[in-house]
Tab-separated table of all heavy atoms in Angstrom:
chain	number	residue	atom	x	y	z
A	178	ARG	N	4.071	10.144	-29.270
A	178	ARG	CA	5.354	9.978	-28.670
A	178	ARG	C	5.823	8.509	-28.683
A	178	ARG	O	6.935	8.082	-28.950
A	178	ARG	CB	5.459	10.567	-27.259
A	178	ARG	CG	5.218	12.159	-27.138
A	178	ARG	CD	5.247	12.544	-25.710
A	178	ARG	NE	5.036	14.001	-25.681
A	178	ARG	CZ	5.939	14.820	-25.711
A	178	ARG	NH1	7.221	14.477	-25.928
A	178	ARG	NH2	5.671	16.213	-25.749
A	179	ALA	N	4.817	7.616	-28.215
A	179	ALA	CA	5.125	6.221	-28.144
A	179	ALA	C	5.325	5.744	-29.567
A	179	ALA	O	6.191	4.765	-29.822
A	179	ALA	CB	3.966	5.544	-27.507
A	180	PHE	N	4.592	6.184	-30.621
A	180	PHE	CA	4.803	5.739	-31.918
A	180	PHE	C	6.308	6.026	-32.388
A	180	PHE	O	6.958	5.040	-32.926
A	180	PHE	CB	3.794	6.512	-32.891
A	180	PHE	CG	3.952	6.073	-34.233
A	180	PHE	CD1	3.240	4.983	-34.785
A	180	PHE	CD2	4.700	6.795	-35.159
A	180	PHE	CE1	3.354	4.569	-36.146
A	180	PHE	CE2	4.769	6.536	-36.505
A	180	PHE	CZ	4.214	5.317	-36.941
A	181	LEU	N	6.711	7.266	-32.328
A	181	LEU	CA	8.031	7.639	-32.613
A	181	LEU	C	9.187	6.817	-31.834
A	181	LEU	O	10.095	6.461	-32.388
A	181	LEU	CB	8.212	9.146	-32.341
A	181	LEU	CG	7.820	10.098	-33.522
A	181	LEU	CD1	8.010	11.509	-32.983
A	181	LEU	CD2	8.432	9.825	-34.706
A	182	LEU	N	8.944	6.630	-30.488
A	182	LEU	CA	9.843	5.892	-29.733
A	182	LEU	C	10.047	4.509	-30.294
A	182	LEU	O	11.123	3.913	-30.238
A	182	LEU	CB	9.337	5.775	-28.326
A	182	LEU	CG	10.290	5.088	-27.262
A	182	LEU	CD1	11.599	5.812	-27.104
A	182	LEU	CD2	9.498	4.937	-25.881
A	183	ASN	N	8.980	3.770	-30.732
A	183	ASN	CA	8.993	2.458	-31.210
A	183	ASN	C	9.521	2.387	-32.733
A	183	ASN	O	9.987	1.227	-33.005
A	183	ASN	CB	7.582	1.790	-31.046
A	183	ASN	CG	7.202	1.678	-29.582
A	183	ASN	OD1	8.076	1.355	-28.831
A	183	ASN	ND2	5.875	1.687	-29.279
A	184	HIS	N	9.231	3.295	-33.491
A	184	HIS	CA	9.391	3.139	-34.927
A	184	HIS	C	10.422	4.123	-35.582
A	184	HIS	O	10.602	3.919	-36.769
A	184	HIS	CB	8.059	3.261	-35.654
A	184	HIS	CG	7.099	2.317	-35.164
A	184	HIS	ND1	7.178	0.893	-35.338
A	184	HIS	CD2	5.819	2.509	-34.509
A	184	HIS	CE1	6.077	0.319	-34.816
A	184	HIS	NE2	5.304	1.221	-34.236
A	185	TYR	N	10.947	5.134	-34.836
A	185	TYR	CA	11.792	6.105	-35.428
A	185	TYR	C	13.122	5.519	-36.012
A	185	TYR	O	13.787	4.753	-35.269
A	185	TYR	CB	12.116	7.200	-34.464
A	185	TYR	CG	13.065	8.232	-34.862
A	185	TYR	CD1	12.760	9.115	-35.849
A	185	TYR	CD2	14.451	8.273	-34.535
A	185	TYR	CE1	13.631	10.116	-36.344
A	185	TYR	CE2	15.384	9.225	-35.039
A	185	TYR	CZ	14.895	10.058	-35.901
A	185	TYR	OH	15.721	11.076	-36.350
A	186	ARG	N	13.517	5.937	-37.210
A	186	ARG	CA	14.724	5.606	-37.816
A	186	ARG	C	15.301	6.813	-38.391
A	186	ARG	O	14.458	7.635	-39.068
A	186	ARG	CB	14.635	4.418	-38.929
A	186	ARG	CG	14.055	3.169	-38.280
A	186	ARG	CD	15.059	2.461	-37.372
A	186	ARG	NE	14.618	1.253	-36.830
A	186	ARG	CZ	13.842	0.939	-35.735
A	186	ARG	NH1	13.354	2.009	-35.123
A	186	ARG	NH2	13.358	-0.254	-35.420
A	187	GLN	N	16.557	6.935	-38.512
A	187	GLN	CA	17.214	8.159	-39.120
A	187	GLN	C	17.305	7.907	-40.614
A	187	GLN	O	17.153	6.883	-41.133
A	187	GLN	CB	18.575	8.404	-38.531
A	187	GLN	CG	18.469	8.885	-37.180
A	187	GLN	CD	19.915	9.455	-36.664
A	187	GLN	OE1	20.823	9.628	-37.469
A	187	GLN	NE2	20.040	9.777	-35.423
A	188	GLY	N	17.563	9.086	-41.372
A	188	GLY	CA	17.753	8.874	-42.754
A	188	GLY	C	16.530	9.168	-43.630
A	188	GLY	O	15.354	8.951	-43.040
A	189	LEU	N	16.643	9.306	-44.951
A	189	LEU	CA	15.450	9.555	-45.791
A	189	LEU	C	14.645	8.322	-45.892
A	189	LEU	O	13.397	8.426	-45.893
A	189	LEU	CB	16.010	9.835	-47.220
A	189	LEU	CG	16.787	11.214	-47.236
A	189	LEU	CD1	17.049	11.500	-48.731
A	189	LEU	CD2	16.236	12.371	-46.516
A	190	ALA	N	15.225	7.011	-45.984
A	190	ALA	CA	14.476	5.899	-46.012
A	190	ALA	C	13.637	5.585	-44.682
A	190	ALA	O	12.519	5.201	-44.802
A	190	ALA	CB	15.377	4.675	-46.243
Side-chain angles (χ1 to χ4, degrees):
R178 293 180 185 274
F180 179 86
L181 279 177
L182 183 64
N183 291 327
H184 303 294
Y185 175 75
R186 299 291 185 274
Q187 291 193 9
L189 302 186

